[in-house]
Every structure is written in C-alpha cells, then in structure tokens.
Amino acid sequence: MKITLKDGTFRDLPAGQTVGEALSVADVALGPDIIAAKVNGMIVDLSRELREDALVEPLRFDSPDGREVYRHTSTHIMAQAVKELFPTAQLTIGPALEDSFYYDFAYDRPFTPEDLEKIEARAREIIKRNLPIKRREFSKPQAIEFFRACGEAYKVELIEGFPDNEPISAYSQGAFVDLCRGPHLPTTGHVGAFKLLNTAGAYWRGDERNPMLQRIYGTSFPTQAELDAHLARLEEIKRRDHRKVGKELDLITIQDEIGPGLVLWHPKGALIRLLIENFWREQHLQNGYDLVYSPHVARLDLWKTSGHVDYYRDNMFTPMKVEASEYQLKPMNCPFHIMIYKSHLRSYRDLPIRYGELGTVYRYERTGVLHGLLRVRGFTQDDAHLFCRPDQIEGEVSRVLDFTFFILRTFGFTEFEVYLSTKPEKAVGSEERWAQATSALEAALKGRSVAYEIDPGEGVFYGPKIDIKIKDALGRSWQCSTIQVDFNNPERFELGYIGEDGKSHQPIMIHRALMGSIERFFGILIEHFGGAFPTWLAPVQATVLSITDNQRDYVAGVVAQLKAAGFRAEADLRNEKIGFKIREAEKAKVPFMLVAGDREVQSGTVSVRGRSGSNLGSMSISGFVEHLGQEVRRQTRDLQPTN
Ligand SMILES: [Zn+2]
Ligand SMILES: [Zn+2]
C-alpha cells in the first residue's frame, strides 16, 4: 500500500502496519509529541492498522485536533482516578473543551476540594504508570452486556441509543474501560502537566428533569510551563469577570427580586451606557440612518405574520391577554420597522431606507443558561433594518462593513474574524436570489479587502449573512456584529416599491446589529478593559484630591472648571491620607488623579497622576483641560471613517 505524507512524499509499505509504524518508516521522528494521526482526513489512534493507500498526517498538541485527543485522553485518566477512589461513582460522558476537559459522574454527593486533591494525585500516578491505551470493539448486545456487568447504567443507556449493526468501541487503560469513539494517546504517560480546576452540578443530558451529575473540570498541557501560563490567564479572566468588576465599580446588578436575566444599570453603568448610546445615535444620523422607536409589546397576530409564533415560540415569553386580544412581549424589532416602511407607498428612488433603533427585546432563556450580562432575558439590540433594491445589496453591505469596523475600533477592538454563511438545507427564496445575495456579500467583503472564511450552510433560512467576531485583550473571540440578508419578511409582509418600470417590486431587507446587544457588549467591554475604561467612556474622568482641609475651596473650584469644560470630575475631600485616597481612585479605575496641596493652590496648578501610576507632573487647570480634551478626541473623533 502507498502511504503519502502531507508534504507529498510517500512510502510503499506492506498492508497491516500501524499508523505509528508507517509514520516512523516515513522518517517522521516519532517522539512523544506525535499523539495521533489523520488518515484520509479521519482522526485515528497511532495503533490503528492500515489496510490500503492512505494520506497520513501526524497530529501534535499544536493543532486543535491534536489538543482534542490530548484532552480527551486526560478526561479518561481523571475518570480512571475517580473510579479507583470512588468505585460506586458511575461514568457518563467526558468531552474535551477548547482549553480544558470535563467528566460528569453520577455520584451520591458533590466532590469536595479534598476529593479533588486526591483525584488529581491519583491521576498523576496513573500518568506515571504509563499504561498503554487500547481500543476494542463490541457488537451492540455485547457492549450492553459488558457495561451492565460493570454497573454503568448511563453507558448502557447511551449504547441503547446507538445504531444496531455498527461496532461499538471502548478504550482500556489498565483495568479501566470506557465506552468511547476515540481516538486516544498511545499511553497515559503521554500526558505531561495535569490539573483539576473545579466542580459543578450538571443534569444528565442537560435536562433539569434528569438526575444531577457531578462534573469535574480539568486541564492538561505537555509542559508545566504551558500549564502555569494557562492558569495565570484563567486568573486574569477571573479578575476581569464582568460580574465581579460590575459589582466592584457599582455599574450593574442582576437581582433575584427583579428576576433572572434582567439587568439594573446603576448610575455609573448607566452613564457609560448613555455615552455609548449617544455615540451610536450620532454616528447613525451621520451615516444616513433614520432613527425610530417602537413599543415593547404588540398584538400576537403581528408575530404570526412575521413567523415568530411558528418558528420562534420557544424563545418568547408567554403572550398576555389584554381586553379581547392577545399581546406579545417583543423578541425582535424587525416587524415594527417593516410596518413603518409599509406605512407609505415607496418608489425605487426612496431606496435604500435605513431604520435604526436601540430596541429593547425580551427573550425566554432557560435559567440555567443565563450568565451575567452575556446571556440575559431582556436586552437592547443596536438594531437596524435596511430596505433596498436587489442591485443595492453590495453597496449597502459595504457601507455597513465600514461602519461596523469603525464602531468596533472606537471601542478598542482591532482584531476581527469574519464569516460568510451560505444557504442552509432548509431555506426560503429561490436559488437565484440566494446566489445573487451571496455573491453581493462576497463582493462587498472583497471590495473592502476583508479577509473572511466561508461557513457553508450556516446562513439563516431567510438569507445569507456575514458575522464578525472581535478579539478581546485576553485573545478571546466574541461574536457581536451580524449582517443578514432577508428574502422572507418582505414576502410575508408583502412589501413593495414602485420600480422604474412603473411596476411593483419586492425590496430586499437587511437586518444588522453592530454591537449585538448593549448588555452583552458592555459585559465584553468590562472584561476587555478590566474595568479601566478609556477616558471617553470612563464615568469619572478625573478625581481631584485635597491633601488637607486647606485646599477644600480650591479643589471644588477645579472640579467646577472641569465640569464647565464638559468633563466628568469628582472631588475627594475626605479627611484621609493622600496615599489612601490615591489608591481608592486607582481602584475605581479613574483615568486621572489631580492632587492639590498648598503648593498647587499657590501656583494655580494640579499634580497629575495616571491610573496606572504614571506621573504626568504639574499642570495648570487649562493645561489639564487641554490634555484631557486631546485624549478624548484621539479616542473618538480621529477614528471616524474618511469617506
Ligand atoms: Zn472517551
Ligand atoms: Zn431584524
């Protein structure tokens, strides 16, 4: 058989050799860094026998596929440790995640921190044992019998759901056997640094009617140094958690008395939101949008016409009865903007029409998936709907792209990932419309030299879309912006415009959101900046601190001057040591601290410090106003698009 490597070199080998053997014959240095292989695109164990010609690609930890094999083996090692220490614990499932892994166990009590220590120590011992990991196959009845004999009821339930005539694989390491598709590392000794992270409760199959399982999270890396770097990053993520920072800086709360997933914006959070909204509205007016408002409820019939009642009911709050009609809390803004469009006869000359709204919507999300500001039940979309002729799609999408990047850059995001999602299996609209719209989106991306990936079949049923992900300061990706072409709503609502030919035509609708929702975007912003908002967004831009009571009047005067110049300033006149007051202002992440003692009073200056401890020296009040103004302009106005 002919074994080809990715670089095109090949070897002629006798059939029956394992992937590992074939690779070593092919001069691939088969060190412990090679953990599995891709054979004709399928990920397999190194012990898999080769029977026919194949393209073989070694997998290492440096690829996502390699990491998955590595972490999945790590979860088996953890499961073996749990079974050795707690033999009555039952196995369920244990997948690899992006940077970690977990395993869910059925056990009669939560695992304690002491348990975790023991499990971790035992897992390290299993790694030291360097047990070979072996694959075996069962028929379905054999597999059921085997796992029933092991007392693994959840595994039996899983197997019962598998197809009847396909072999079922399991992997063993020492005496431990787990039902598993694989593949795995060759031995337990291939795992380097291993660490358990935390525990959580999780329902079997994610359904709250099922028993609660005990989930253990862990992670693993080839070296201790990589593990340490990862743990340091996790600490940083925890330190920046928007729920924690939101409380520390008194920005927002979500309180059970109000209801899960419903956000209260406290004065400082509300002020940042106001600044975001003002910026957003100003920019939309400048960019050719009309701003509109719409109600929070509407007749249920409207949502029948839009299709939400049929296709979106699970995500909506229950309708309410008012007089003889049913009303629905709005899950989206689209139908309202459509009705504004429909309120007049439109001509081709009126198009495009762009309606923007910071529209608050309500969606039903299960309590279990709610997460701080990132997943909520009531949120405000920075929504807009564009109504245009088919020949205007490309131009409109190009404008939206420019606008999106401009807005996101102003908020400090500079790295983007862009995806173009094409026609899914279930879709409305003709082949021709899809092709036309998809190529318009593609042309817009190319015209703006935006690098993108195609997500085949991931478009919405009503049209293709572009999604833009931003990368935050910790390298995490967040999907915020979306630009979606829609053929469906114009048809459902019978939208039209009079064309140049005097006949009625159907407009194309484009839904777009740049930040996504203000709540979620704010959560991302808090974590991106770790609460240290850029000066233009900081709720307090400068705190003026007195050293003693002697400077009271002077400090009050400085604050008044800053406010008169349009800045947000506060005085700290407390009878505390200046060092303490500076630390407090730093903790509140105020960009500038202006210290005033007798010397400053005499010379009419302030001593200026940055929040990161930098000393900007002595400045006159007008000098500081100038400095502050320049900084704010640099962060906003100078970033405006040039067209
Ligand atoms: Zn497995
Ligand atoms: Zn919409």
Side-chain angles (χ1 to χ4, degrees), residues 513-543:
L514 310 183
M515 300 183 282
S517 91
I518 294 198
E519 283 74 5
R520 183 162 172 278
F521 193 70
F522 188 47
I524 295 167
L525 278 183
I526 293 174
E527 300 198 0
H528 179 61
F529 294 118
F533 294 99
T535 307
W536 79 277
L537 275 180
V540 178
Q541 295 170 311
T543 304

Side-chain angles (χ1 to χ4, degrees), residues 66 171 233 244 247 274 311 390 490 502 507 544 599 623 636:
Y171 281 76
R233 185 168 174 273
K244 179 173 161 279
K247 200 175 285 168
L274 181 82
Y311 299 109
V544 191
R599 203 159 24 129
T636 52

Side-chain angles (χ1 to χ4, degrees), residues 332-335 381 383-385 462 484 486 489 509-512:
M332 292 193 191
N333 304 302
C334 335
Q381 293 181 301
D383 213 355
H385 294 95
Y462 52 67
Q484 308 184 350
D486 182 352
N489 269 302
M509 192 173 162
I510 298 171
H511 311 247
R512 51 113 281 203

Side-chain angles (χ1 to χ4, degrees), residues 229-461:
H230 178 70
L231 295 177
R233 185 168 174 273
L234 290 185
E235 270 312 304
E236 185 59 23
I237 289 173
K238 236 191 244 168
R239 209 178 58 77
R240 290 179 182 232
D241 189 310
H242 71 275
R243 293 165 297 182
K244 179 173 161 279
V245 175
K247 200 175 285 168
E248 284 165 359
L249 299 183
D250 197 17
L251 303 174
I252 47 114
T253 50
I254 295 173
Q255 302 179 22
D256 205 47
E257 291 87 334
I258 311 286
L262 301 169
V263 182
L264 288 177
W265 295 74
H266 295 210
K268 284 188 175 146
L271 182 59
I272 300 175
R273 173 169 173 165
L274 181 82
L275 292 164
I276 295 173
E277 293 190 356
N278 285 348
F279 171 71
W280 188 94
R281 289 200 177 96
E282 237 164 65
Q283 293 304 322
H284 277 71
L285 290 173
Q286 276 187 30
N287 274 276
Y289 286 77
D290 294 315
L291 298 185
V292 299
Y293 291 94
S294 59
H296 288 217
V297 291
R299 286 184 193 282
L300 191 62
D301 288 344
L302 181 76
W303 306 102
K304 285 181 184 156
T305 307
S306 66
H308 286 94
V309 169
D310 286 335
Y311 299 109
Y312 207 67
R313 179 153 246 170
D314 291 349
N315 295 79
M316 305 199 308
F317 278 76
T318 320
M320 58 189 116
K321 196 127 198 192
V322 180
E323 293 170 349
S325 309
E326 280 193 294
Y327 282 78
Q328 175 65 49
L329 205 48
K330 69 167 163 180
M332 292 193 191
N333 304 302
C334 335
F336 298 101
H337 298 186
I338 291 172
M339 297 311 287
I340 298 174
Y341 177 92
K342 252 190 114 167
S343 64
H344 288 276
L345 187 65
R346 310 287 179 180
S347 126
Y348 69 97
R349 281 189 233 95
D350 301 329
L351 304 184
I353 287 174
R354 312 182 187 99
Y355 294 142
E357 180 180 7
L358 292 165
T360 304
V361 298
Y362 299 89
R363 294 185 189 167
Y364 169 68
E365 301 264 15
R366 286 179 174 192
T367 322
V369 302
L370 297 171
H371 179 81
L373 289 172
L374 301 181
R375 195 106 177 240
V376 289
R377 282 183 177 161
F379 55 95
T380 301
Q381 293 181 301
D382 69 315
D383 213 355
H385 294 95
L386 321 180
F387 302 88
C388 66
R389 305 189 305 259
D391 63 289
Q392 291 173 320
I393 299 177
E394 184 188 333
E396 285 306 297
V397 172
S398 302
R399 286 178 63 107
V400 174
L401 284 174
D402 290 345
F403 198 29
T404 308
F405 291 127
F406 158 63
I407 296 275
L408 296 176
R409 282 204 176 97
T410 308
F411 287 102
F413 299 102
T414 52
E415 275 186 78
F416 310 102
E417 288 165 31
V418 180
Y419 299 89
L420 170 63
S421 302
T422 57
K423 189 175 178 220
E425 257 176 57
K426 272 195 196 158
V428 301
S430 67
E431 231 17 273
E432 192 197 331
R433 287 205 133 180
W434 273 89
Q436 190 191 20
T438 308
S439 64
L441 293 184
E442 209 156 8
L445 287 166
K446 284 188 176 139
R448 290 301 190 262
S449 305
V450 175
Y452 63 94
E453 273 178 51
I454 294 201
D455 239 345
E458 288 301 308
V460 196
F461 74 93

Side-chain angles (χ1 to χ4, degrees), residues 33-38 43 57-63 65-66 69:
D33 63 320
I34 293 184
I35 53 191
K38 254 187 184 170
I43 308 168
E57 184 191 337
L59 284 180
R60 299 178 176 84
F61 188 80
D62 62 6
S63 70
D65 289 334
V69 173

